[in-house]
Amino acid sequence: MIKKKNLRNFIIIFIIGIVMLLIPKVNALEEKAIVWIDSPDTSTASSKTMLIRGWTLSDIENKIVEVYVDNEKINNITYEIRKDVLKAYPKYNKNLNQNNGYKVVFDNTKLLSGTHTLTVKLLNSDTKALLGEQTKKFVIKKYDTKIQIDDPAVTLNKNSKMKIRGWVMSEAPNRNIEIYVDNIKVNNASSETRSDVLKAITGYGGKTTNKTPGYIAYFDATSLSYGKHTVTIKVINNINQEILLQQSKTFNLLHNTKIQIDNPATTINKSSKVKIRGWVMSEAINRRIEVYVDNVKISNVASEARSDVLKAITGYGGKATNKNPGYVAYFDGTTFKTGSHTVTIKVFDANTNELLSESAKKFNIKKYDTKIQIDDPAVSVKKSTKMKIRGWVMSEDSNRVIDIYVDNIKVNSITNEARSDVLKAITGYGGKTTNKTPGYVAYF
């Protein structure tokens, strides 16, 4: 008879044996599975599709490969035999690794430009146990893009029709351009042909993806405050609404200002008191006018009422900001050389010292009005040891010196002579006051 104790032990051993039979056997090589990613590499993928390809090795009979891009599972994986891999790893059972290669063509058009993660997992298809995995980073830069903002200028006046213009070159055929001013979207932007751009800029898809690279839009800048603002251009991929590139430009909105320079005239004679006069109309109430002649600042600029200007010029703040739109100043013209000079008027915002506008005018200083007459020699003369050179000079310059040359040879012994006929016939040029003996005579 079997003792109770022995019977209990027998039953326990029997149950353990049954349990062991029910538990699947685990191959010792299961932990040694290899997962490898051949492609893509870590460099930029710029095409619309991307090949994901690699191989696995495991002596587990029933296994499956799963592929994930940014944790999103990719379907339609196909298998292939990789004899190169089996040859390189002979210790693995060839019969259990007949379809050790995997591949799938992935549509990356919905991926944003930047870094992404590819994960390949090898699973036991019966138990779903993870046999092995590999993770790889790759970069997507699908469309090379360049933006240029031509307008608005860096500084401009308030305008109900501020132009925003430039161009975009991009490899993306299905793109859209969005324009913003201080984050306010500008509508009604239109494209335009820019043959100058297509000729100058190479790459970025060329003419193939850039039929009309130019863009243009208008914005009511009167709604903006004076000061600095930002225009932003965004290039959007129409397929996934990704921002391919954006670029901004800062511009300064100034008070509308107009400058007029009435004096000096285009040509003036020497004077110790040359008048600079004109007017400025501006929306800036607190403004400062500076006057320069050849970059030399002129002091004591005075304002004056100009009812004629206020009557004739509309806008620019009108009478409200232009009580005395006129300006007048004087400078000593005798300190400047004869010739061309420039007067410049600059208008500043007195609060910010911002240059609102400037205008320049060229004028010619002719210090002494002078007239020369050559009476002799005649147009044709015979050779002579005493060829007469005679004529007269009338000039406002009383301290003048006359030099005479024949074929660049200086003639000496010039004498002055009274020419009552000249003084009687010629008016101006200083008259008798600066022309006691206007005649000259010499022999050569």
Side-chain angles (χ1 to χ4, degrees), residues 418-432:
R419 290 290 298 267
S420 58
D421 57 327
V422 173
L423 292 172
K424 185 177 180 180
I426 305 301
T427 58
Y429 306 100
K432 294 180 180 180

Side-chain angles (χ1 to χ4, degrees), residues 179-350:
I179 301 175
Y180 296 83
V181 175
D182 295 346
N183 297 319
I184 301 170
K185 190 173 182 180
V186 180
N187 297 315
N188 302 320
S190 59
S191 59
E192 60 178 1
T193 304
R194 290 290 298 266
S195 58
D196 58 324
V197 175
L198 292 172
K199 185 177 180 180
I201 305 300
T202 56
Y204 305 99
K207 294 180 180 180
T208 305
T209 59
N210 298 279
K211 303 297 184 184
T212 53
Y215 63 84
I216 187 168
Y218 294 91
F219 182 77
D220 185 359
T222 59
S223 61
L224 300 177
S225 60
Y226 292 107
K228 292 183 178 180
H229 299 272
T230 303
V231 58
T232 301
I233 308 300
K234 296 181 181 180
V235 183
I236 311 293
N237 183 346
N238 281 339
I239 296 174
N240 58 10
Q241 300 306 305
E242 172 190 5
I243 298 176
L244 298 175
L245 187 67
Q246 72 178 59
Q247 187 170 315
S248 297
K249 180 180 181 180
T250 300
F251 63 94
N252 198 7
L253 200 58
L254 305 177
H255 294 80
N256 283 329
T257 302
K258 185 175 178 65
I259 301 173
Q260 173 66 28
I261 304 174
D262 297 325
N263 298 101
T266 305
T267 302
I268 59 171
N269 293 322
K270 67 98 184 180
S271 173
S272 60
K273 196 176 182 181
V274 179
K275 180 188 286 187
I276 301 174
R277 185 174 184 260
W279 51 265
V280 170
M281 291 286 286
S282 177
E283 294 172 338
I285 299 175
N286 298 316
R287 61 179 180 258
R288 181 179 75 254
I289 297 173
E290 293 183 0
V291 179
Y292 297 82
V293 175
D294 295 345
N295 297 319
V296 178
K297 189 175 181 179
I298 307 302
S299 304
N300 303 317
V301 180
S303 60
E304 62 177 358
R306 289 289 298 265
S307 58
D308 58 325
V309 174
L310 292 173
K311 185 177 180 180
I313 305 300
T314 56
Y316 306 98
K319 294 180 180 180
T321 60
N322 297 279
K323 303 296 184 184
N324 295 299
Y327 63 85
V328 63
Y330 295 89
F331 74 96
D332 185 356
T334 61
T335 61
F336 290 83
K337 293 181 178 180
T338 300
S340 180
H341 299 273
T342 303
V343 59
T344 303
I345 309 299
K346 297 182 179 182
V347 183
F348 295 87
D349 186 319

